[in-house]
């Protein structure tokens, strides 16, 4: 039983068809559950007021200043709108493909971090509905997607009815981008790639604040979810993903019968001796 459990904890060799199906079904379920969470608009707005007041009391309520400053530069804010709408998915999928091809032994453990992070975020959406700054009552935030009619965002405009507008805490833009950044930093060899890995979640933080889609405390929530995800992976695989072997080792069950026959017998099992024949006795055996 113990050997079987240890075998289950060994990182499996990823299979392309299975991974595509798993990611597609998982994201569909995530979107279904996230959007099925009651929006609880009144409570979400009250929570947003509380978050905003808490940040003011800490002297760190800078979101509105950043939002107005960046919005004054049209090309910059439009670029950030598209960044928010697309890179969240493009970079995450790109890192998964890179892991699949270059680090198959670490793929399953790193993927588990992402899945566990996203799963616990759903609990946050249910327990703590939160309006983003752009939807607050009486605040002076600018909905940059609505103002500039940016295509592709699920947060505003024509797509807003397809997504839960009051699921801002925790921020999975930060959870996923930090997962990407830490994975690249830990596994990439080129210094420029490792630097870009660290810059990506940093720039994402600026984008989610500038577009008024999140408070910076939402980012803290995303980081906490990611820490949970790494904890789950560490417990299951016995090590952090980057400390696992790069390649998937062969499992005993994959050995051929010929190779298995050559394996040494346990010390407790006696080695059978062939019976003597008349020919062997005459030869002095």
């Amino acid at each position: 039983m113990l050997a079987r459990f240890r075998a289950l904890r060994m990182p499996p060799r990823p299979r392309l068809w299975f991974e595509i199906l798993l990611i597609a079904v998982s994201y569909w379920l995530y979107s279904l559950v996230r959007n099925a969470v009651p929006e609880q608009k009144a409570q979400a707005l009250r929570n947003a007021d509380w978050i905003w007041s808490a940040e003011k009391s800490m002297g760190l309520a800078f979101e509105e200043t950043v939002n107005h400053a960046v919005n004054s530069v049209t090309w910059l804010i439009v670029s950030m709108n598209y960044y928010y709408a697309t890179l969240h998915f493009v970079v995450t999928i790109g890192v998964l493909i890179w892991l699949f091809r270059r680090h198959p032994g670490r793929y399953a453990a790193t993927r588990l971090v992402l899945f566990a992070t996203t799963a616990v975020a759903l609990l946050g959406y249910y327990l703590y509905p939160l309006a983003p700054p752009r939807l607050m009552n009486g605040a002076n935030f600018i909905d940059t997607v609505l103002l500039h009619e940016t295509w592709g965002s699920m947060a505003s405009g024509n797509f807003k009815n397809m997504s839960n507008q009051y699921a801002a805490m925790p921020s999975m833009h930060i959870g996923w981008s930090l997962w990407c950044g830490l994975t690249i930093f830990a596994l990439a060899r080129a210094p420029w790639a490792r630097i870009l890995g660290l810059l990506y979640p940093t720039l994402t933080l600026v984008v989610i604040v500038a577009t008024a889609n999140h408070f910076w405390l939402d980012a803290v929530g995303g980081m906490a979810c990611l820490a949970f995800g790494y904890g789950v992976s560490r417990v299951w695989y016995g090590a952090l993903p980057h400390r696992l072997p790069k390649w998937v080792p062969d499992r005993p069950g994959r050995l051929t019968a010929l190779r298995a026959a050559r394996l040494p017998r346990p010390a407790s099992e006696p080695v059978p001796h062939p019976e003597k024949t008349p020919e062997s006795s005459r030869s002095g055996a």
Side-chain angles (χ1 to χ4, degrees), residues 202-279:
T202 304
L203 183 55
T204 299
L205 176 59
V206 176
V207 168
I208 67 172
V209 170
T211 56
N213 279 296
H214 288 281
F215 298 98
W216 67 264
L217 280 176
D218 299 343
V220 175
M223 294 176 191
C225 290
L226 183 63
F228 172 83
Y230 273 108
V232 170
S233 183
R234 172 67 175 81
V235 168
W236 181 252
Y237 288 104
L240 291 173
H242 69 280
R243 295 189 178 276
L244 294 171
K246 180 176 181 179
W247 305 103
V248 180
D250 288 330
R251 296 188 180 187
R254 294 175 182 168
L255 296 175
T256 63
L258 180 61
R259 290 179 63 192
R262 294 176 181 173
L263 292 175
R265 295 177 179 272
S268 59
E269 182 178 340
V271 179
H273 294 282
E275 296 182 358
K276 290 185 178 182
T277 61
E279 290 76 13

Side-chain angles (χ1 to χ4, degrees), residues 26-91:
S26 298
Y27 185 74
W28 174 74
L29 288 174
Y30 164 75
S31 300
L32 188 67
V33 174
R34 182 179 186 270
N35 296 335
V37 172
E39 289 196 346
Q40 305 178 61
K41 179 178 179 180
Q43 184 60 48
L45 290 171
R46 286 194 295 269
N47 289 339
D49 290 337
W50 186 91
I51 290 283
W52 189 229
S53 297
E55 291 186 354
K56 286 181 177 179
S57 67
M58 291 185 286
L60 295 173
F62 52 77
E63 290 92 339
E64 187 177 297
T65 301
V66 174
N67 174 234
H68 283 257
V70 178
N71 186 70
S72 65
V73 184
T74 302
W75 68 266
L76 181 58
I77 193 59
V78 169
S79 299
M80 287 190 174
N81 285 342
Y82 283 120
Y83 179 114
Y84 185 89
T86 60
L87 292 193
H88 179 53
F89 304 102
V90 172
V91 176

Side-chain angles (χ1 to χ4, degrees), residues 172-219:
M172 280 299 93
H173 271 76
I174 290 299
W176 288 15
S177 66
L178 189 57
W179 173 86
C180 293
L182 291 177
T183 299
I184 294 171
F185 181 78
L187 300 180
R189 292 184 177 181
W192 62 266
R194 302 182 74 191
I195 293 173
L196 285 179
L198 295 181
L199 287 177
Y200 175 53
T202 304
L203 183 55
T204 299
L205 176 59
V206 176
V207 168
I208 67 172
V209 170
T211 56
N213 279 296
H214 288 281
F215 298 98
W216 67 264
L217 280 176
D218 299 343

